[in-house]
Amino acid sequence: MSLLEMLQQQIGGQAVDHISQKLGADRGTTGNAIDAALPLLLSAVARNASNPQQAQSLDRAVSQNHDGSILNDVPGFISRAESGQGAGILNHILGGKQQAVQNGLSQATGLDTGKTSQLLTMLAPLVMGALGKAKQERNLDAGGLSTMLAGEHEHLKESAPGVMGALGRFLDHDNDGSVMDDVGGMLGKAFGR
């Protein structure tokens, strides 16, 4: 099972209802935004993990803070989710591209930017939990985690060609399957770099 499939399985039904209520958005829009955000976050983590130093940092973070238990009660986590943990994770995953990603997700899904920020903050710990669960189940080290994420990225390009959807077409201007370089380019243009 891919990481995306694991997350989709865990963030179904009741969890989507909780997220929708927390965001104050309708269930359909929330579901669409989740479907766009998860592949985007996984792609960003995979891109980061392709760098050996960042793969080591990711491995340490997953080993120390993300054992996968968060996935045992996703609705419960969403009910008590605080933005601090998710915000820190997003800062590591997206860095300075976070605002551009939020704007793109908002434009692609119809969820306003403030709510996309909240959504990404809720989803980031779940993504890390899925990494932790996979790391434990497959007994992965930093190299194994990097390899697994590279495979996940390839799987995303094949199975979710849309955020590989609408968001991917919006953000992936050079059609290389990575939106992170394109978001960086958009930021550069926005700030005259």
Side-chain angles (χ1 to χ4, degrees), residues 154-166:
E154 288 304 312
H155 177 73
L156 289 171
K157 287 195 298 189
E158 293 170 12
S159 68
V163 158
M164 301 358 34

Side-chain angles (χ1 to χ4, degrees), residues 10-178:
Q10 296 297 320
I11 307 175
Q14 192 179 20
V16 174
D17 292 337
H18 278 82
I19 294 170
S20 179
Q21 289 170 0
K22 195 140 190 172
L23 294 176
D26 70 85
R27 191 180 197 292
T29 302
T30 300
N32 289 338
I34 291 168
D35 289 344
L38 287 174
L40 178 68
L41 290 172
L42 287 167
S43 179
V45 172
R47 181 173 168 88
N48 290 345
S50 68
N51 172 307
Q53 286 180 313
Q54 290 185 10
Q56 287 289 340
S57 295
L58 177 64
D59 183 57
R60 275 192 304 279
V62 169
S63 295
Q64 294 170 2
N65 303 312
H66 305 284
D67 62 3
S69 62
I70 194 171
L71 300 177
N72 296 337
D73 182 19
V74 174
F77 165 74
I78 297 301
S79 296
R80 56 184 187 279
E82 297 177 18
S83 63
Q85 180 186 17
I89 294 168
L90 284 177
N91 188 44
H92 286 288
I93 293 173
L94 300 175
K97 299 171 176 89
Q98 188 171 341
Q99 189 63 49
V101 169
Q102 290 169 358
N103 291 340
L105 186 60
S106 176
Q107 289 181 18
T109 64
L111 195 64
D112 76 55
T113 306
K115 291 178 182 177
T116 59
S117 173
Q118 266 186 284
L119 176 65
L120 290 169
T121 300
M122 284 186 255
L123 295 178
L126 298 173
V127 168
M128 294 299 286
L131 288 173
K133 184 174 182 174
K135 177 179 170 48
Q136 284 185 348
E137 288 176 352
R138 301 174 191 177
N139 196 27
L140 301 173
D141 61 7
L145 200 56
S146 179
T147 299
M148 178 191 68
L149 284 165
E152 182 76 18
H153 183 71
E154 288 304 312
H155 177 73
L156 289 171
K157 287 195 298 189
E158 293 170 12
S159 68
V163 158
M164 301 358 34
L167 184 57
R169 285 189 296 277
F170 174 76
L171 293 175
D172 189 10
H173 293 286
D174 58 8
N175 297 313
D176 67 351
S178 172

Side-chain angles (χ1 to χ4, degrees), residues 171-190:
L171 293 175
D172 189 10
H173 293 286
D174 58 8
N175 297 313
D176 67 351
S178 172
V179 298
M180 298 312 291
D181 59 330
D182 302 290
V183 169
M186 282 185 253
L187 281 176
K189 289 177 188 170

